[in-house]
Structures are given as structure tokens and as C-alpha cells.
Amino acid sequence: MKQTNDGPRPSAATRILPVAGRRVIVCSGTGCKANGSEAVYAAFVDAIEAAGAKVAVEFKHEGHQDGVPVTRSGCQGICSQAPLVTILPENILYMRVKPADVAEIVSATLGEGKVIDRLLYRKVDTGEACRGAQEIPFLHRQTHVVLRDVGTLDPENLDEYLRLGGYEAARKAFTSMTPEQICAEIGRSGLRGRGGGGFPTGRKWDAARQQPGAKKYVICNADEGDPGAFMNCSVMEGNPHSVIEGLMIAARAIGADEAYVYIRAEYPLAVRRMKKAV
Ligand code: FES
């Protein structure tokens, strides 16, 4: 592959350690892309190949990995430090990574198992270095539910979503539940709207289900007009299939056979990933 950065390349002596579960995840959310993450991704491909190893652009959960997986993700949750790179299985999180840093990451971290201190997050109060999200106070206090797989899952890889159990809930809804049962289960789950009003989703779906009419639609309002809100954008960019699966379940619950997603034009990455997922 063509050299795409001006930084140093790993020396011919670099050998990448065979580590189970190895994966390099370059954040490819809007914040990181705007700060050059695509050049960082290309630099990883170059550097790994320069070290004599193969690059796998898809991660295989079964462990039959032919090459070092280098994948993209949605927002890893701390855009102020973009671009971010996560190295698995050690869960090392590097911040503000430049293409010129990549050869060192490949030779030191992938080649020798060493952590590069200067690329780690530092606690604001003590200056202490944090190896990964699990040590960063802003991140480790969060419990992700909707965003559970955002930041690790490759949003453009349907197989990965399926391997993580994706579309199983939709299968269940369509094959073994009635619309009434779905509305009741959603009601019991406590799920509410996330736009501020917090209206119970189960009640909303059940009201729509009971409306007369031969033709019904599901409309997903992903516009998030509130200032500074990016929750819808993060889901669509980081796990678009989860939005589609939710639409499928909602359609089954209310008896719709068509769905629309309203996305603002200022979210071109979300539009592209949703289109690809469809
Ligand atoms: S887009 Fe990369 S951390 Fe948010």
C-alpha cells in the first residue's frame, strides 16, 4: 500500500507480537475524523504492512484472524482529545494521535508490549497518566446502555453487529411476540423518550397500535435540535444497525410497514452510515 504519511516507519527489525484478541480501533466519529483520524488509520495500515504483517480490515470474533485487525469505530467518548486510538486486548487508549506517532505505536506497543506514556490521558488534578478508559474518571463513571457497543464496534460491518446478537430482538419480535406483548414489554422496561419530555415509549407505541387505519408509518426523529446534543448522532454514527433494529421492532408493534429517519444535513457521516446499514 502507498505510503500516506511523512512520519517514520517501523524498522525492518519490528515484529508484531501475536496476541489473542489483538485489535487496533481508530475512532472514526465526526470529532476524530475532523482531527485527522483517517490519516491515522492509513498510517496504521502502512506501518503494520511495513513491519511485515498483514492487516485485517474486519475483526473476527471467532479468533480466526488472518492479520492484525485495524478497524474504525464511532465516538469513543472524549472528543476533546481527538483522534483516539484504542489497542485491544490491553485496553490502552492513546490520545491526540498523529500519523507521525503510528510507527512508534506499532513497534513499541504492538511489537514489544510497551505503553507510550506521552500519548496517554492525564488526570487534570494530579497529572497522573491513565492507560485506558477504565482509569479516566470522566469515562469510567459512565454506564453505557444505548451506547454500549459504540466506540468498539465497527459501524460499517453488519457481521460484527450480528455476532454481538444484533437483530435477535427483531427476530423475536417478529416470530414469537404479538404487537400487544411488545408494547407491554417495552412499557415494563421503563424505556422513555430521550428528547427531554421523557414520555414512556411503551405507552406511545400502544397508542399508535390502537389507532385505526390500514397504513401506518414509523418516523424516527433523529434531528436533536437541542443545543449541544449529539446523542442521536453518536448512535447513528457508532451503531446504525441498532437504530434500524429499533425501527423494525417499533414497526411490528404498531403495525407499520414503512419507516423514515429524519437526519439533519449537517450530519453527513450519520447519513452515510445509516444509508450503508440500510
Ligand atoms: S469522535 Fe472520536 S472520541 Fe468522539
Side-chain angles (χ1 to χ4, degrees):
M1 178 167 286
K2 190 173 154 292
Q3 176 82 2
T4 52
N5 71 85
D6 299 328
R9 309 189 83 187
S11 75
T14 298
R15 287 287 172 268
I16 293 177
L17 293 173
V19 173
R22 168 64 76 221
R23 182 174 186 179
V24 176
I25 306 175
V26 180
C27 184
S28 185
T30 291
C32 283
K33 273 174 112 62
N35 281 281
S37 67
E38 283 304 311
V40 171
Y41 181 94
F44 267 107
V45 172
D46 278 349
I48 290 169
E49 288 180 347
K54 266 187 169 176
V55 172
V57 294
E58 289 184 3
F59 179 68
K60 301 242 187 299
H61 289 265
E62 296 85 359
H64 306 303
Q65 201 69 58
D66 186 20
V68 180
V70 183
T71 59
R72 296 176 174 87
S73 73
C75 178
Q76 295 187 11
I78 189 160
C79 311
S80 62
Q81 306 295 313
L84 269 65
V85 174
T86 294
I87 311 283
L88 298 180
E90 300 91 340
N91 254 321
I92 299 164
L93 183 56
Y94 288 137
M95 311 258 170
R96 298 180 191 268
V97 178
K98 307 257 181 313
D101 298 317
V102 169
E104 187 183 351
I105 296 173
V106 170
S107 54
T109 305
L110 303 188
E112 299 172 44
K114 291 180 183 162
V115 177
I116 303 169
D117 191 72
R118 70 182 163 76
L119 294 175
L120 297 177
Y121 178 85
R122 300 209 168 263
K123 288 185 182 168
V124 182
D125 48 352
T126 63
E128 187 189 342
C130 303
R131 270 176 61 111
Q134 65 282 2
E135 293 179 13
I136 300 173
F138 173 71
L139 293 175
H140 83 68
R141 294 191 190 117
Q142 300 178 24
T143 302
H144 291 179
V145 180
V146 174
L147 300 176
R148 184 185 56 215
D149 298 318
V150 171
T152 49
L153 172 137
D154 180 347
E156 301 198 16
N157 184 343
L158 171 61
D159 281 348
E160 181 160 17
Y161 186 68
L162 293 174
R163 284 192 207 104
L164 291 171
Y167 291 111
E168 280 304 317
R171 184 201 305 273
K172 181 179 171 189
F174 276 88
T175 59
S176 62
M177 294 180 81
T178 64
E180 292 88 340
Q181 287 172 328
I182 297 169
C183 292
E185 184 155 330
I186 294 292
R188 279 194 299 276
S189 76
L191 184 66
R192 290 173 175 266
R194 304 177 77 214
F199 194 84
T201 306
R203 271 175 52 198
K204 184 187 284 188
W205 287 12
D206 205 40
R209 179 185 70 78
Q210 293 182 53
Q211 296 308 305
K215 179 73 179 176
K216 292 184 185 176
Y217 301 88
V218 179
I219 298 172
C220 170
N221 177 7
D223 179 61
E224 60 188 1
D226 326 79
F230 287 98
M231 66 281 190
N232 297 344
C233 183
S234 291
V235 180
M236 291 186 291
E237 287 183 0
N239 195 352
H241 285 288
S242 67
V243 179
I244 294 169
E245 184 169 16
L247 282 169
M248 291 166 69
I249 296 168
R252 166 72 175 155
I254 71 166
D257 64 356
E258 244 182 291
Y260 288 86
V261 185
Y262 168 39
I263 314 172
R264 57 174 62 207
E266 292 95 324
Y267 291 170
L269 183 62
V271 170
R272 187 171 70 70
R273 288 193 172 149
M274 284 295 292
K275 278 185 170 171
K276 184 162 184 187
V278 168

